[in-house]
Amino acid sequence: MRLLRSTDLALRFLMRLAVVGEPTPTTREVAADMRVPYSHAAKVVAELQHLGLVDARRGRGGGLALTEKGRGASVGAVVRAFEGDGDVVECEGDTPCPLLAACRLRGALRLAQEAFYASLDPLTIADVVAAPTGPLLLDITRRP
């Protein structure tokens, strides 16, 4: 299964914010640290804020901070939120699959997708930043 770019960015941003101290970084700084375009980062941060996982403050003294909900968030839940509940394959739509009425593949793919999410559900953001990941994330942090 291949994750959307926004899902990948969301997970990396959450991980990065989980190991940050003071001062809190801005979206622009984290985007630079992660080597991603600011425009993509801003969209992901807006969604993370909407989900209650990140607190984003503007202006002097502002920046990004992981919320308690974000620190304890399930990786599986974050992936589901960004990937959506759609099927792995497009069976309907503009050109429906001719096997749609009797297809067994669609159900098997749905089960595989759920197994993928279920394997990520027990992991929290705090879990995935434990050593050696956390120290590496701190090493790539921009220094003042």
Side-chain angles (χ1 to χ4, degrees):
M1 181 169 184
R2 185 177 183 102
L3 297 179
L4 297 172
R5 179 83 168 138
S6 59
T7 306
D8 175 44
L9 289 178
L11 292 170
R12 288 196 282 156
F13 265 61
L14 290 170
M15 291 170 66
R16 169 67 175 78
L17 293 173
V19 297
V20 111
E22 293 293 328
T24 57
T26 65
T27 302
R28 195 169 300 280
E29 290 169 343
V30 178
D33 290 345
M34 296 291 153
R35 298 182 183 116
V36 298
Y38 171 76
S39 58
H40 295 300
K43 290 176 188 173
V44 168
V45 167
E47 183 61 22
L48 290 171
Q49 188 176 13
H50 174 74
L51 294 169
L53 305 177
V54 169
D55 182 29
R57 294 176 308 274
R58 294 179 181 234
R60 187 175 181 156
L64 301 174
L66 191 64
T67 64
E68 282 304 311
K69 180 179 177 182
R71 186 169 303 284
S74 159
V75 172
V78 173
V79 172
R80 277 186 189 90
F82 276 83
E83 294 289 317
D85 290 330
D87 287 324
V88 176
V89 294
E90 182 69 35
C91 298
E92 298 175 27
D94 294 341
T95 312
C97 176
L99 302 175
L100 186 60
C103 182
R104 295 178 57 176
L105 179 60
R106 184 179 186 182
L109 290 173
R110 176 53 102 174
L111 286 174
Q113 181 182 32
E114 282 307 312
F116 172 75
Y117 290 144
S119 70
L120 296 174
D121 283 340
L123 292 172
T124 66
I125 297 302
D127 293 335
V128 296
V129 297
T133 306
L136 178 63
L137 283 166
L138 287 174
D139 284 345
I140 64 172
T141 302
R142 297 166 53 95
R143 306 289 182 219

